[in-house]
Amino acid sequence: MKKIMLTAVLAVFTATGAFAETVRLGTEGAYEPWNFVNDAGKLDGFEIELGNELCKRASLSCEWVKNDWDSIIPNLKSGNYDAIIAGMSITEERQKAIDFTEEYYPADPSSYVGLAGAGDAVTKGVVAAQTATIHAGHVASSGATLVEFATAEETIAAVRNGEADAVLADSGYLKPIVEESNGALVFVGNQIQIGGGVGMGMRKSDGALRAKLNAAIASVKSDGTLNKMIAKWFGADAPQF
Amino acid sequence: MFLFCADPAAIEGLTWLSCYLTTGKHMAFYLSFLVVLVLMALAAPAAMLFGFVGALACRSRVAPVRFLGQGYITMVRGIPDIAFFLFVPVALDQAFEFLRHKTFCSETTQPVWRGNEFLVCDAAKLPLGTSPQWVHEIYGFMLALLAFAIVFGAFAGNTLRGAMRAVPDAQLQAAAAFGMTRRQIFWRVHLPQMWVFALPGLSNLWMILVKATPLLFLLGVEDVVYWARELGGSKTSAHSYPHGDWRLWYFLGLLVFYLALTWLSEKFFTKLMARFSFGQATLGGSEAAS
Amino acid sequence: MTSCVDTIQDYGLRAIGIGERLLPKSDITLCEQFVLIGSGLLWNIYFGFIALLLGFWLATALALGKNSHLIWLRLPSNWFVFLFRGSPLFIQFFLAYEAFVLLPKVGIEFEIFGTVFAAETRWLTRAWLGALLVLFCNTAAYSAEIFYGALKSIPVGEIEAADSFGMSGTKKFTRIIWPTMLRLGWPSYTNEAIFLFHATALVFFSSFPAWRQKGDALYYASYLADKTFNPFIPYPILAGYFILVTVLIIWIFGCVNRRLNRHLPDSQRPKRPKFQFIR
């Protein structure tokens, strides 16, 4: 799946210069505030800032590649980029296919969001989720009716226009949307813990790169940089390390 | 873009719109129209080339070459183009890298497919891992272009083969009677006469090509559909220009773009077609003549 | 082999909601891939068959409309054909879906042949109706263009002969014009049927969401490619299925073609439909 996105990029040159190893980071670019395309047409978001910081600390020269969510793992495996940094939860199923770094965002419970006035019962009704996410898998086995959309954006639209009763997604993604909906959208039901924390996905054969990035993640964790970034992008009440 | 756009939250109305429509993201959107046009401009001749080779192969005296040509030309009848587009670029990419792996890294003993990972040595990577991003982008675009050329080459091959068959045998026999060689007959008599028969089919092919370009988006190229979706999606106040779900409007814009494109093409081809059917004893021909 | 029979029982009709509820997630066997993609093919056949069946009649009407001397028939027909032929199906699907979700969600009751049917506008946002409607309009527009072209190329001699027999109006149409139009347009119409069938693969790929993971062949093929991380098995399986159905379509349309041309002497019959495509 050669899905290199054209004009996708934000090349990051670190101070280490020409000798730095080039690492290509794959992201989706459509999951605010994790990763998205800003008004200038450049990649932006929590993971972009974090990724650049990690590369700096690991003395790597990093390049960003945008890739559709549904083919993001196959394209990692076929070598289009070297790491996935796209809000991907660490799950057992995925671990069979790829390796993960240490988590850089704590296990974040997923939430249901419905229209204002919807009761908790909607979580058993028609629930929208993005294709090939842990959320889609959860809804399919929860007994609710799953409606799948290719992007997270469309799942929200489906709830707004009444196509679906509720949407299941990461709380961090849903929070700003609910807050800015002027009361049209509300959290419903209980939060649920589906996946583990969020980590970077790597090919199983790339142990050396994984070790480097793990060290960098440990370093941003220990000096508090990571917590600052989380607070900046997800608000003060977001889970911290 | 404009100076007054410095604080988007403070402006409204037409000023807001003029700022909104000139963000960097919108510029990328406008540029993507160019990407689509470039793809069409390059894919058409490339597909003609593939089609021509395919049609020639069909007429070959060597049986395996003939079967190969016929297989290529007929496959497009059976398989949806979208299935091709999901498959061909991956297959091509891995095939190229595999060949380079065999050439450049013959000393590597590890298999290329390990489990379900496809791993070639660093020197065989296409493009090289160290190349700048624009090389990767051009390579991605080229793969998409190649996929288009292969699929539409099969269509073109069909048309060209039909057109070659439609050239009256008497013409070729007359050429043979003049003592021309096979090669001469083909290049001097058969080929020039074939184009007349091929034109209607090829004009249709162009229309199909135009309407297949939104599928570029499935090939991972950031085309008009990608940006329309991206721009139209509702934006929270993390963006300078928050708005609701505007995808409908963006897609209406795309609709107009494609309608205009096909309208222009149709205009051009109707003029061409009118010439061909003029004076023939059919309802269309007699109306044109009267 | 016995396990494959189980798989067929579990997933053979999965696409229409019968059988195992959860799709296979890991350790996916070749048999599961064949069965799931095959079950998705039911949707492709449903879309293709119904759209073609209904589209045929609208296409005939549109072709006549395009050929009409009355401007209020000709203009709408021309516009309809232009709109659906001039824009990519991909974008039509998207716009249709976006427009359908904006409709007020109401129930409508109507009576056909004494039976009361209850319909909901909400159904339009579902693929089985919404996408079908788009495909129906789409194939009607393309077929109308084919039929219109055929109408234009009816030999004037046949019309003159009908006139000299004193045929007029309906009789001339049903006995001479319509059959001749079909006969002349049939090879192209065969290809339209094939193209339409291929186009059904776009339904769940563009905008119509899959409900309860009930989707078409391509939906399952991409699901399996995602789960197995290997596109080299599901997509060729998909291609194989599509080739099979295409062969079937060519065969059925070939039978009709023989019937349409049965009055011609052997030497004048088209040997086999040429690959003329209007799309």
Side-chain angles (χ1 to χ4, degrees):
Chain A
M1 299 236 165
K2 196 79 183 181
K3 285 206 176 179
I4 297 181
M5 290 286 187
L6 208 72
T7 70
V9 211
L10 188 76
V12 181
F13 290 101
T14 53
T16 42
F19 294 101
E21 185 188 347
T22 308
V23 173
R24 291 162 58 77
L25 302 176
T27 192
E28 189 198 4
Y31 202 59
E32 241 184 281
W34 294 86
N35 54 74
F36 60 95
V37 180
N38 66 14
D39 293 308
K42 301 266 186 277
L43 278 169
D44 203 349
F46 165 66
E47 286 175 320
I48 311 305
E49 194 182 328
L50 174 69
N52 289 339
E53 180 66 26
L54 292 180
C55 289
K56 204 159 86 192
R57 296 198 182 197
S59 306
L60 300 165
S61 128
C62 289
E63 284 190 19
W64 290 92
V65 182
K66 254 189 289 179
N67 195 95
D68 278 351
W69 174 258
D70 59 3
S71 61
I72 208 162
I73 293 182
N75 274 346
L76 171 75
K77 296 164 88 65
S78 62
N80 287 2
Y81 35 82
D82 307 306
I84 298 171
I85 171 162
M88 187 175 272
S89 301
I90 302 167
T91 63
E92 261 179 48
E93 200 183 310
R94 286 180 183 140
Q95 269 170 329
K96 281 182 195 155
I98 54 175
D99 274 351
F100 282 94
T101 60
E102 293 300 313
E103 50 186 60
Y104 57 79
Y105 190 86
D108 183 21
S110 305
S111 308
Y112 287 99
V113 162
L115 286 177
D120 289 357
V122 293
T123 58
K124 294 274 170 258
V126 178
V127 180
Q130 188 179 4
T131 314
T133 56
I134 50 171
H135 309 111
H138 178 82
V139 177
S141 51
S142 76
T145 304
L146 170 66
V147 203
E148 287 172 291
F149 294 87
T151 60
E153 162 75 29
E154 285 164 293
T155 62
I156 305 291
V159 176
R160 283 185 193 270
N161 63 39
E163 260 294 273
D165 300 327
V167 51
L168 180 64
D170 289 327
S171 305
Y173 170 74
L174 293 171
K175 218 175 123 244
I177 294 171
V178 171
E179 277 167 5
E180 291 190 22
S181 66
N182 294 324
L185 298 173
V186 289
F187 284 106
V188 289
N190 297 323
Q191 293 195 325
I192 36 170
Q193 191 67 53
I194 307 174
V198 175
M200 292 169 77
M202 325 270 304
R203 278 184 295 269
K204 285 190 181 287
S205 49
D206 266 354
L209 179 61
R210 188 163 149 244
K212 272 188 201 169
L213 287 168
N214 270 341
I217 291 174
S219 121
V220 287
K221 269 182 188 168
S222 62
D223 69 1
T225 319
L226 185 57
N227 279 343
K228 257 183 246 160
M229 277 186 205
I230 292 176
K232 174 186 167 195
W233 289 100
F234 297 94
D237 50 349
Q240 298 224 320
F241 284 102
Chain B
M1 187 80 177
F2 303 115
L3 279 174
F4 53 81
C5 294
D7 184 15
I11 49 177
E12 53 187 29
L14 275 179
T15 331
W16 185 89
L17 198 66
S18 67
C19 291
Y20 173 68
L21 290 177
T22 50
T23 55
K25 213 169 170 179
H26 274 89
M27 290 302 161
F29 178 49
Y30 305 141
L31 207 65
S32 67
F33 282 93
L34 204 67
V35 172
V36 169
L37 292 176
V38 166
L39 178 100
M40 284 192 286
L42 293 179
M48 282 296 291
L49 190 73
F50 273 76
F52 194 66
V53 171
L56 281 186
C58 280
R59 301 173 52 83
S60 166
R61 275 177 295 185
V62 189
V65 177
R66 198 164 59 236
F67 294 145
L68 213 65
Q70 283 167 346
Y72 169 57
I73 281 183
T74 34
M75 83 181 171
V76 77
R77 273 190 95 154
I79 307 169
D81 48 1
I82 181 177
F84 264 107
F85 288 149
L86 287 174
F87 181 76
V88 169
V90 202
L92 281 178
D93 182 42
Q94 298 206 351
F96 290 154
E97 292 195 336
F98 182 73
L99 287 178
R100 283 168 60 95
H101 183 81
K102 285 281 163 224
T103 332
F104 296 129
C105 317
S106 43
E107 71 281 1
T108 324
T109 47
Q110 279 187 308
V112 177
W113 280 278
R114 261 171 274 167
N116 47 23
E117 280 179 30
F118 178 80
L119 287 171
V120 292
C121 62
D122 284 342
K125 282 236 173 87
L126 254 183
L128 293 173
T130 51
S131 357
Q133 181 59 27
W134 64 267
V135 178
H136 286 266
E137 285 166 18
I138 297 288
Y139 180 69
F141 182 80
M142 286 300 168
L143 278 183
L145 182 65
L146 204 54
F148 264 78
I150 288 174
V151 170
F152 286 95
F155 281 98
N158 260 301
T159 307
L160 294 177
R161 183 171 61 159
M164 284 180 187
R165 279 183 186 162
V167 174
D169 267 348
Q171 295 278 344
L172 307 181
Q173 284 158 6
F178 275 112
M180 286 186 175
T181 62
R182 253 179 81 94
R183 185 180 295 260
Q184 281 174 325
I185 294 173
F186 181 75
W187 289 105
R188 296 198 190 164
V189 181
H190 203 164
L191 198 61
Q193 294 203 24
M194 175 199 81
W195 293 113
V196 182
F197 297 99
L199 253 162
L202 292 178
S203 71
N204 264 318
L205 186 58
W206 170 257
M207 302 297 246
I208 303 177
L209 177 67
V210 169
K211 283 174 280 177
T213 48
L215 296 181
L216 256 184
F217 152 78
L218 297 175
L219 300 178
V221 175
E222 288 187 350
D223 72 333
V224 287
V225 178
Y226 171 83
W227 283 113
R229 257 162 85 135
E230 180 63 44
L231 285 162
S234 55
K235 299 279 175 291
T236 60
S237 57
H239 296 259
S240 319
Y241 302 91
H243 61 77
D245 189 349
W246 285 0
R247 282 177 300 167
L248 189 59
W249 307 114
Y250 279 93
F251 273 82
L252 274 176
L254 292 193
L255 185 76
V256 172
F257 168 69
Y258 276 105
L259 284 179
L261 210 57
T262 42
W263 183 76
L264 282 175
S265 313
E266 210 163 49
K267 272 258 137 124
F268 174 73
F269 286 123
T270 341
K271 273 201 177 151
L272 221 60
M273 298 291 243
R275 250 185 224 179
F276 289 124
S277 67
F278 183 79
Q280 288 184 13
T282 59
L283 269 183
S286 63
E287 269 173 21
S290 61
Chain C
M1 270 324 276
T2 47
S3 69
C4 198
V5 173
D6 289 342
T7 308
I8 292 174
Q9 281 175 348
D10 286 346
Y11 293 117
L13 296 173
R14 178 61 181 78
I16 50 173
I18 300 172
E20 195 67 21
R21 170 152 193 174
L22 294 177
L23 296 181
K25 281 198 171 151
S26 51
D27 308 318
I28 293 169
T29 62
L30 204 60
C31 173
E32 281 171 330
Q33 303 214 14
F34 266 103
V35 174
L36 260 182
I37 297 176
S39 108
L41 201 67
L42 292 174
W43 276 107
N44 297 96
I45 293 171
Y46 159 80
F47 283 127
F49 184 72
I50 308 278
L52 212 60
L53 201 69
L54 300 177
F56 175 81
W57 303 103
L58 182 58
T60 309
L62 284 170
L64 291 175
K66 268 176 83 86
N67 199 34
S68 170
H69 292 291
L70 302 169
I71 192 153
W72 55 272
L73 276 179
R74 199 169 61 234
L75 273 187
S77 310
N78 277 335
W79 275 100
F80 183 91
V81 172
F82 174 66
L83 183 69
F84 281 95
R85 280 191 69 220
S87 56
L89 182 62
F90 192 82
I91 296 196
Q92 289 167 21
F93 273 135
F94 188 90
L95 281 174
Y97 177 72
E98 290 288 303
F100 288 151
V101 295
L102 291 178
L103 288 178
K105 294 186 174 47
V106 288
I108 306 162
E109 282 193 2
F110 55 92
E111 213 181 292
I112 299 175
F113 304 125
T115 323
V116 177
F117 289 91
E120 289 176 42
T121 50
R122 178 180 276 252
W123 290 351
L124 281 169
T125 61
R126 309 282 167 82
W128 69 265
L129 184 61
L132 183 65
L133 204 63
V134 177
L135 286 168
F136 158 72
C137 293
N138 198 274
T139 184
Y142 282 106
S143 313
E145 192 63 28
I146 291 168
F147 290 157
Y148 174 70
L151 208 58
K152 283 281 176 200
S153 45
I154 293 176
V156 269
E158 299 207 5
I159 312 268
E160 283 163 2
D163 287 337
S164 64
F165 272 108
M167 283 188 184
S168 65
T170 334
K171 202 172 187 186
K172 189 166 91 176
F173 176 72
T174 51
R175 297 267 179 93
I176 307 294
I177 297 183
W178 197 53
T180 314
M181 176 189 92
L182 286 186
R183 184 168 66 84
L184 294 176
W186 205 255
S188 298
Y189 191 58
T190 307
N191 290 307
E192 163 55 25
I194 296 170
F195 273 121
L196 176 76
F197 179 63
H198 290 178
T200 58
L202 271 175
V203 169
F204 290 101
F205 228 80
S206 39
S207 36
F208 284 90
W211 283 68
R212 287 176 185 269
Q213 299 184 309
K214 291 183 278 189
D216 75 329
L218 187 64
Y219 170 82
Y220 287 120
S222 64
Y223 173 87
L224 293 166
D226 172 61
K227 288 291 172 206
T228 57
F229 309 106
N230 181 2
F232 292 99
I233 295 170
Y235 290 124
I237 293 177
L238 175 85
Y241 274 123
F242 267 93
I243 289 174
L244 277 183
V245 180
T246 306
V247 169
L248 193 71
I249 294 176
I250 293 175
W251 181 73
I252 294 172
F253 275 72
C255 291
V256 178
N257 193 43
R258 269 195 296 284
R259 188 172 160 77
L260 286 170
N261 287 304
R262 68 191 185 280
H263 62 289
L264 292 178
D266 265 348
S267 58
Q268 281 184 32
R269 284 189 199 177
K271 292 283 179 297
R272 59 187 161 128
K274 262 190 238 140
F275 195 52
Q276 302 161 308
F277 37 82
I278 302 197
R279 255 273 152 176

